[in-house]
Amino acid sequence: MDVKYTAHAVSSGGGRDGVVRSDDGIIDLQLKMPQALGGPGGATNPEQLFAAAYSTCFHGALRLVARNEKVKISDDATVEAAIGIGPDDTSFAITATLTATLPGLDQAQAEDLVAKAHQVCPYSKATRGNVDVTLIAKV
């Protein structure tokens, strides 16, 4: 692979109860364990950051697929990522549900575009075989 960009971030402090910063300073966030996992909440957490990244990346892949197929996607289209975390056999694992809302398309066309975006999205490729990903297309 010919790498065109590399992002850098550093976690310090207590991991889930610490700080994460990008090398350019754009990301500079306090992290707290969510209340659902026994923490205090009140700050972001890795699952929220992953949800933000995955939804954005998948949205871009969806638009790429639509453009290649000459399908117009509304500016009102959205992609929501719901990232779940829970115990597995060895520690914890995550799940992902991606919900693409594509107003103005018919259901079959929306489902086709979402399935194709899942094949090309770098985050979908990275999670394939490791994370249970559910795809939902809404019109």
Side-chain angles (χ1 to χ4, degrees), residues 66-129:
R67 193 168 43 253
N68 288 344
E69 297 201 3
K70 308 217 182 320
V71 174
K72 173 76 169 116
I73 291 183
S74 165
D75 290 340
D76 294 334
T78 61
V79 174
E80 175 187 348
I83 304 299
I85 186 169
D88 68 3
D89 294 339
T90 59
S91 60
F92 284 84
I94 61 171
T95 64
T97 300
L98 300 172
T99 303
T101 303
L102 302 166
L105 300 183
D106 66 48
Q107 187 64 38
Q109 188 177 39
E111 289 173 3
D112 182 60
L113 290 175
V114 167
K116 289 176 178 174
H118 189 50
Q119 294 307 306
V120 301
C121 172
Y123 280 68
S124 291
K125 289 179 183 181
T127 60
R128 192 163 290 124

Side-chain angles (χ1 to χ4, degrees), residues 18-59:
V19 175
V20 65
R21 290 185 185 93
S22 59
D23 61 340
D24 60 7
I26 292 174
I27 295 174
D28 187 355
L29 299 170
Q30 292 288 318
L31 300 170
K32 294 289 180 195
M33 182 83 72
Q35 288 181 340
L37 294 178
T44 196
N45 58 67
E47 292 70 40
Q48 287 178 331
L49 295 171
F50 184 58
Y54 200 172
S55 65
T56 301
C57 188
F58 195 87
H59 198 159

